[in-house]
Amino acid sequence: MRLVLLPGLNGSSNLFAPLLDALRDVDCQPLALPDQGPQDYASLADRLLAELGHAPFVLLGESFSGPLAFRLALRKPEGLRAVIFAATFLTRPSPFLALLRHMPMPPALVTHAPILRALCLGRDVEDAVLRRVQEEIRSLDQALVRARLGSLAGLRAVQGRLAVPALQLWPQQDRLVAARAGGSLAAHCDDLRQVRLDGPHFILQARPHACAQAIRTFLADMAKQQG
């Protein structure tokens, strides 16, 4: 079954590389977020809906895109069989976002290796993964980042419940998402399976093989349920 992947705040598929390498036996279709126009969740959902295709698929939303995957799923696109939420939330992930979106974010500071290791990637992350994340952050358009941070700062859970099966990949050393926000998924999903993983917020990058195994098991269960 197809796995359609929606990226985090960076908006591109570049940081999915470690996970895609671990999922070579899975039909993966990473999508990029629109880099022009409004960056609120409703507008992003409007523009991405047609890209999902019609063949059966499971939708994965990482971090920033978790609320987007939820909104897309509520629209019941043809072919949707299940949703995977990775290191994400349905409500504002941190109370500091309202301030952060207005603060200067010099690339030299936010890409400083000790900061990335402490807040995002974990202290034992591979150097190649660290460099990939640094390069991706340096390439980001700051106005676009601030627009997406604004969407996060005003995030509220939408009305509605997810009826299709869902999997939550929940990193237990997440320094960017409050535990309460991570736990907000359970109240909005009828069939949620939680896999708590030892690792940081960038769990797909820092623990790709553990994530891949959980995803592969979930996809196999979905295939069995649907004959």
Short mmCIF file of all heavy atoms in Angstrom, two decimals, residues 105-128:
data_model
loop_
_atom_site.label_atom_id
_atom_site.label_comp_id
_atom_site.label_asym_id
_atom_site.label_seq_id
_atom_site.Cartn_x
_atom_site.Cartn_y
_atom_site.Cartn_z
N MET A 105 16.05 34.71 14.47
CA MET A 105 16.54 33.33 14.46
C MET A 105 17.74 33.23 13.53
O MET A 105 17.62 32.74 12.40
CB MET A 105 15.43 32.37 14.03
CG MET A 105 14.29 32.27 15.02
SD MET A 105 13.03 31.09 14.51
CE MET A 105 12.28 32.00 13.14
N PRO A 106 18.90 33.73 13.96
CA PRO A 106 20.09 33.67 13.11
C PRO A 106 20.42 32.22 12.74
O PRO A 106 20.49 31.37 13.63
CB PRO A 106 21.19 34.28 14.00
CG PRO A 106 20.47 35.01 15.08
CD PRO A 106 19.18 34.31 15.29
N PRO A 107 20.62 31.92 11.46
CA PRO A 107 20.94 30.55 11.05
C PRO A 107 22.13 29.96 11.80
O PRO A 107 22.15 28.77 12.12
CB PRO A 107 21.22 30.68 9.55
CG PRO A 107 20.42 31.88 9.14
CD PRO A 107 20.47 32.82 10.30
N ALA A 108 23.14 30.81 12.10
CA ALA A 108 24.31 30.31 12.80
C ALA A 108 23.96 29.80 14.20
O ALA A 108 24.60 28.87 14.71
CB ALA A 108 25.37 31.40 12.89
N LEU A 109 22.93 30.40 14.79
CA LEU A 109 22.52 29.97 16.13
C LEU A 109 21.66 28.70 16.06
O LEU A 109 21.92 27.72 16.76
CB LEU A 109 21.74 31.09 16.82
CG LEU A 109 21.15 30.75 18.19
CD1 LEU A 109 22.25 30.41 19.18
CD2 LEU A 109 20.30 31.91 18.72
N VAL A 110 20.63 28.72 15.22
CA VAL A 110 19.70 27.59 15.20
C VAL A 110 20.30 26.35 14.56
O VAL A 110 19.75 25.25 14.70
CB VAL A 110 18.38 27.97 14.49
CG1 VAL A 110 17.66 29.06 15.26
CG2 VAL A 110 18.61 28.39 13.05
N THR A 111 21.44 26.50 13.85
CA THR A 111 22.10 25.32 13.29
C THR A 111 23.33 24.92 14.11
O THR A 111 24.08 24.03 13.70
CB THR A 111 22.53 25.57 11.83
OG1 THR A 111 23.43 26.68 11.78
CG2 THR A 111 21.32 25.83 10.95
N HIS A 112 23.54 25.57 15.25
CA HIS A 112 24.68 25.23 16.11
C HIS A 112 24.52 23.79 16.58
O HIS A 112 23.49 23.41 17.14
CB HIS A 112 24.71 26.19 17.29
CG HIS A 112 25.95 26.13 18.10
ND1 HIS A 112 27.22 26.12 17.56
CD2 HIS A 112 26.13 26.06 19.45
CE1 HIS A 112 28.12 26.07 18.52
NE2 HIS A 112 27.49 26.02 19.67
N ALA A 113 25.53 22.97 16.33
CA ALA A 113 25.43 21.53 16.57
C ALA A 113 24.98 21.18 17.99
O ALA A 113 24.07 20.34 18.17
CB ALA A 113 26.75 20.84 16.24
N PRO A 114 25.54 21.76 19.06
CA PRO A 114 25.09 21.40 20.40
C PRO A 114 23.61 21.72 20.65
O PRO A 114 22.91 20.97 21.35
CB PRO A 114 25.99 22.25 21.31
CG PRO A 114 27.22 22.48 20.50
CD PRO A 114 26.73 22.64 19.10
N ILE A 115 23.12 22.81 20.04
CA ILE A 115 21.71 23.16 20.20
C ILE A 115 20.82 22.14 19.48
O ILE A 115 19.81 21.67 20.03
CB ILE A 115 21.44 24.59 19.69
CG1 ILE A 115 22.13 25.60 20.61
CG2 ILE A 115 19.94 24.86 19.60
CD1 ILE A 115 21.99 27.04 20.15
N LEU A 116 21.19 21.79 18.26
CA LEU A 116 20.40 20.81 17.51
C LEU A 116 20.40 19.46 18.20
O LEU A 116 19.37 18.77 18.26
CB LEU A 116 20.93 20.67 16.09
CG LEU A 116 20.59 21.80 15.12
CD1 LEU A 116 21.23 21.54 13.76
CD2 LEU A 116 19.08 21.94 14.95
N ARG A 117 21.55 19.05 18.71
CA ARG A 117 21.62 17.78 19.42
C ARG A 117 20.74 17.80 20.68
O ARG A 117 20.02 16.84 20.96
CB ARG A 117 23.06 17.44 19.79
CG ARG A 117 23.94 17.08 18.60
CD ARG A 117 25.35 16.72 19.07
NE ARG A 117 26.27 16.51 17.96
CZ ARG A 117 26.41 15.37 17.31
NH1 ARG A 117 25.69 14.32 17.67
NH2 ARG A 117 27.28 15.25 16.32
N ALA A 118 20.80 18.88 21.42
CA ALA A 118 20.07 18.96 22.69
C ALA A 118 18.56 19.06 22.49
O ALA A 118 17.79 18.42 23.21
CB ALA A 118 20.57 20.15 23.51
N LEU A 119 18.13 19.84 21.50
CA LEU A 119 16.69 20.11 21.35
C LEU A 119 15.99 19.24 20.32
O LEU A 119 14.80 18.98 20.46
CB LEU A 119 16.49 21.59 20.96
CG LEU A 119 16.90 22.63 22.00
CD1 LEU A 119 16.63 24.03 21.46
CD2 LEU A 119 16.17 22.41 23.32
N CYS A 120 16.71 18.80 19.30
CA CYS A 120 16.03 18.20 18.14
C CYS A 120 16.43 16.77 17.82
O CYS A 120 15.58 15.94 17.49
CB CYS A 120 16.30 19.05 16.89
SG CYS A 120 15.81 20.78 17.04
N LEU A 121 17.72 16.47 17.90
CA LEU A 121 18.23 15.24 17.30
C LEU A 121 18.78 14.22 18.29
O LEU A 121 18.99 13.06 17.92
CB LEU A 121 19.33 15.59 16.29
CG LEU A 121 18.85 16.33 15.03
CD1 LEU A 121 20.03 16.94 14.29
CD2 LEU A 121 18.09 15.37 14.13
N GLY A 122 19.05 14.63 19.49
CA GLY A 122 19.65 13.72 20.45
C GLY A 122 21.17 13.76 20.35
O GLY A 122 21.74 14.08 19.31
N ARG A 123 21.82 13.39 21.43
CA ARG A 123 23.28 13.54 21.50
C ARG A 123 24.02 12.49 20.69
O ARG A 123 25.18 12.67 20.35
CB ARG A 123 23.73 13.50 22.97
CG ARG A 123 23.10 14.63 23.79
CD ARG A 123 23.71 14.77 25.15
NE ARG A 123 23.04 15.83 25.91
CZ ARG A 123 23.30 17.13 25.76
NH1 ARG A 123 24.21 17.51 24.87
NH2 ARG A 123 22.66 18.02 26.48
N ASP A 124 23.36 11.36 20.39
CA ASP A 124 24.05 10.29 19.68
C ASP A 124 23.67 10.22 18.20
O ASP A 124 23.90 9.21 17.54
CB ASP A 124 23.77 8.94 20.35
CG ASP A 124 22.28 8.61 20.38
OD1 ASP A 124 21.46 9.52 20.11
OD2 ASP A 124 21.94 7.44 20.68
N VAL A 125 23.07 11.28 17.66
CA VAL A 125 22.67 11.28 16.25
C VAL A 125 23.91 11.17 15.35
O VAL A 125 24.99 11.67 15.69
CB VAL A 125 21.88 12.56 15.90
CG1 VAL A 125 22.77 13.80 15.97
CG2 VAL A 125 21.24 12.43 14.53
N GLU A 126 23.77 10.49 14.22
CA GLU A 126 24.88 10.37 13.29
C GLU A 126 25.25 11.73 12.72
O GLU A 126 24.40 12.58 12.47
CB GLU A 126 24.50 9.41 12.15
CG GLU A 126 24.26 7.98 12.60
CD GLU A 126 23.88 7.09 11.44
OE1 GLU A 126 23.86 7.58 10.28
OE2 GLU A 126 23.60 5.91 11.68
N ASP A 127 26.55 11.92 12.48
CA ASP A 127 27.03 13.20 11.96
C ASP A 127 26.40 13.54 10.61
O ASP A 127 26.11 14.71 10.32
CB ASP A 127 28.55 13.18 11.83
CG ASP A 127 29.25 13.21 13.18
OD1 ASP A 127 28.61 13.58 14.18
OD2 ASP A 127 30.45 12.86 13.23
N ALA A 128 26.18 12.52 9.77
CA ALA A 128 25.61 12.78 8.45
C ALA A 128 24.19 13.32 8.56
O ALA A 128 23.78 14.20 7.78
CB ALA A 128 25.61 11.49 7.62
#
